Amino acid sequence: MAKWNPETFIQFAKAQCPAHVVNVLEDLVNFTTREADMVSWGRGDETGMVTYKVRSDEGVLPLFNLTTYGQIKLFVNYLREKQVAREILRDYQLRMESTFLLELDSDVYPHDVLHPVDDLFYTQNQVEKFKRAILGVTARLHQ
């Protein structure tokens, strides 16, 4: 049984993170609970985690997750391993690269890692662009 839920996740994040990071986390947790096909909540005692998951022909796939310590993981390499259609994977990669100015090529980014939220999200516009990108990839995975 999951230990975490939106309320406990945000409450714990508020004790661990600066206010601007909590605002981003809260926005993305609300987005996840509203838009994801499946929401996975962590069961750990020390760190809360929430994962945005999508149903697709390849099964249930995670697109990103958040931790109560103000981190986000983008599941680019996981999707590569699951052999998601190349055009969908490329779309996800390009959208994340353009939103965050990251290099997510498999040579440079061989493993999915946690990124500090405050290193990626500087403006509310980036949060909105990220959410639109996730919705776009979600729609493509539903096709």
Side-chain angles (χ1 to χ4, degrees), residues 35 37 54-57 88 137-143:
E35 300 294 342
D37 292 340
V54 178
R55 292 189 201 320
S56 73
D57 291 342
I88 296 172
V137 172
T138 298
R140 294 195 68 189
L141 286 167
H142 286 160
Q143 294 177 349

Side-chain angles (χ1 to χ4, degrees), residues 35-84:
E35 300 294 342
D37 292 340
M38 269 181 77
V39 179
S40 175
W41 293 96
R43 292 177 287 185
D45 292 328
E46 302 284 323
T47 305
M49 189 173 292
V50 59
T51 305
Y52 181 107
K53 294 183 177 183
V54 178
R55 292 189 201 320
S56 73
D57 291 342
E58 291 81 16
V60 177
L61 300 172
L63 294 186
F64 70 92
N65 73 17
L66 304 165
T67 73
T68 52
Y69 284 102
Q71 300 166 313
I72 186 169
K73 183 186 287 187
L74 308 172
F75 287 98
V76 176
N77 286 301
Y78 182 82
L79 296 177
R80 284 186 185 116
E81 291 172 12
K82 290 296 182 180
Q83 298 180 340
V84 169

Side-chain angles (χ1 to χ4, degrees), residues 2 9 12 17 31 36-37 39-40 49 59 67 77 81 85 95 99 103-104 107 112 114 129 131:
F9 186 94
F12 195 84
C17 303
F31 169 76
D37 292 340
V39 179
S40 175
M49 189 173 292
T67 73
N77 286 301
E81 291 172 12
R95 287 173 184 246
T99 301
E103 178 64 46
L104 298 175
D107 295 334
D112 295 326
L114 290 167
K129 189 174 177 183
K131 293 190 298 188

